[in-house]
Amino acid sequence: MELRVLRYFLVVAQEENITQAAKKLHLTQPTLSRQMMLLEQELGVTLFDRGRRRIFLTASGLLLRERAAALLALSDKTVEDLASQEETLAGEVVLALGGQAGRNAETLARAMAAFRRRYPQVRFSLPPCDTAALQAGLERGTIDLALWSGTVDASRYEAMPLPHRERWGLLVAASSSWAAETAIPAAALTGLTLLLPQAEEAAQALSAWAAAASVRLSPALRYGQAAWAAALVQAGAGAALCPDGVDWGAALRFVPLEPPMERETALIWKKNRMLAPAAATFLQWLRHSL
């Protein structure tokens, strides 16, 4: 199975039309059709349901689309990482942000800016990921480093602690009666319309914290990224339990929880895997600068 053919397949899957895909790839339609038939024969599956005007992916085609995208991303990243082994450091560092970077965002931003001044040919990619996507990326090698809160699985990952702990609280509208308070007790949460994080690991940590105070959390909504939590609170959908951000703006207020809920934060990477030169050098830079 050639990477070139997988690229062809992804274009066909996107265009849902062999003729349009062939034009985009600068191939003839018969050539592309034959390539797709040979791919199906090689894999022993049917990848397309072929209609008169459009083609659709079968279940096997959908699976191949997901795997092909991951394989090609890893291939492209490998080419860049190998190129970065030249005398001038270059390449891409993929640093996944697992939800909310919080106060560590400023620390990481300053380090990345200083690093790029020293190595201007290094690029950073900062994809927001849920827990499953973050772990899958680390396993596949498409993510170099990841921001992690809570307990680190030492059997799978190496970790470098970050200076700021993740402090949780209630995000409320500036007009809320809670906005002027210095802390919100666990018992007070039972009377509020709550927005809770969708990430399982964070949700479990909040449930354990509440259970210790004999409180059961009942979310009205669950949010993915912190930006959604802020937008929902500002729209009047409720109050969000979330980690502290860098700046929530004038319309919102962050009120810490009582008793405090804080979690360790760290940068993690796959254990027993050699990092690409750009990522390895950035990690060394962080060790010295933090």
Side-chain angles (χ1 to χ4, degrees):
M1 192 166 49
E2 297 180 30
L3 294 178
R4 171 180 57 84
V5 177
L6 288 181
R7 294 187 194 278
Y8 293 171
F9 166 76
L10 288 179
V11 174
V12 173
Q14 179 182 10
E15 295 295 324
E16 297 182 339
N17 183 286
I18 288 286
T19 301
Q20 293 301 320
K23 289 180 180 178
K24 195 168 185 177
L25 291 166
H26 304 291
L27 298 172
T28 64
Q29 186 270 336
T31 298
L32 184 57
S33 294
R34 178 164 176 76
Q35 290 285 353
M36 294 301 98
M37 292 176 61
L38 291 174
L39 180 60
E40 288 179 314
Q41 292 174 14
E42 180 182 358
L43 297 174
V45 297
T46 299
L47 297 173
F48 305 102
D49 284 329
R50 294 168 170 84
R52 293 183 62 186
R53 295 183 179 274
R54 296 177 60 191
I55 59 176
F56 303 92
L57 294 178
T58 63
S60 296
L62 291 170
L63 176 61
L64 181 61
R65 182 178 64 181
E66 177 184 344
R67 299 292 172 82
L71 283 169
L72 291 171
L74 180 58
S75 172
D76 293 342
K77 189 173 187 307
T78 300
V79 170
E80 289 195 357
D81 290 342
L82 288 172
S84 73
Q85 295 188 48
E86 300 298 326
E87 184 176 346
T88 301
L89 188 67
E92 181 182 55
V93 179
V94 181
L95 197 167
L97 305 179
Q100 170 77 17
R103 294 162 65 203
N104 286 302
E106 289 183 353
T107 301
L108 291 173
R110 285 194 298 269
M112 285 185 281
F115 188 79
R116 274 190 42 80
R117 285 194 291 270
R118 172 65 179 83
Y119 301 106
Q121 295 189 56
V122 172
R123 304 188 312 279
F124 285 91
S125 176
L126 308 173
C129 299
D130 59 24
T131 302
L134 184 152
Q135 292 176 320
L138 287 171
E139 293 295 328
R140 289 194 299 256
T142 54
I143 291 174
D144 298 306
L145 306 169
L147 183 67
W148 185 264
S149 299
T151 304
V152 176
D153 184 350
S155 67
R156 298 173 65 188
Y157 306 115
E158 302 282 356
M160 183 181 73
L162 292 174
H164 301 295
R165 292 169 62 86
E166 184 184 73
R167 181 179 66 158
W168 283 70
L170 192 70
L171 190 65
V172 299
S175 58
S176 166
S177 59
W178 285 104
E181 300 296 325
T182 57
I184 181 167
L189 299 178
T190 56
L192 299 177
T193 302
L194 292 178
L195 316 177
L196 265 63
Q198 193 170 19
E200 182 178 351
E201 199 266 343
Q204 288 176 350
L206 279 170
S207 295
W209 170 85
S214 301
V215 172
R216 185 175 181 273
L217 300 178
S218 300
L221 287 169
R222 291 192 180 273
Y223 65 87
Q225 297 299 317
W228 269 111
L232 287 165
V233 172
Q234 196 163 346
L241 285 171
C242 62
D244 194 6
V246 178
D247 181 10
W248 293 110
L252 301 173
R253 293 290 184 275
F254 178 86
V255 186
L257 296 175
E258 180 61 42
M261 178 180 160
E262 295 184 343
R263 300 197 300 169
E264 297 289 344
T265 58
L267 276 183
I268 64 173
W269 59 98
K270 179 66 176 158
K271 198 168 189 174
N272 299 323
R273 173 180 290 154
M274 182 180 294
L275 289 171
T281 305
F282 177 63
L283 196 57
Q284 291 177 345
W285 181 282
L286 281 176
R287 289 188 192 278
H288 288 292
S289 63
L290 295 184

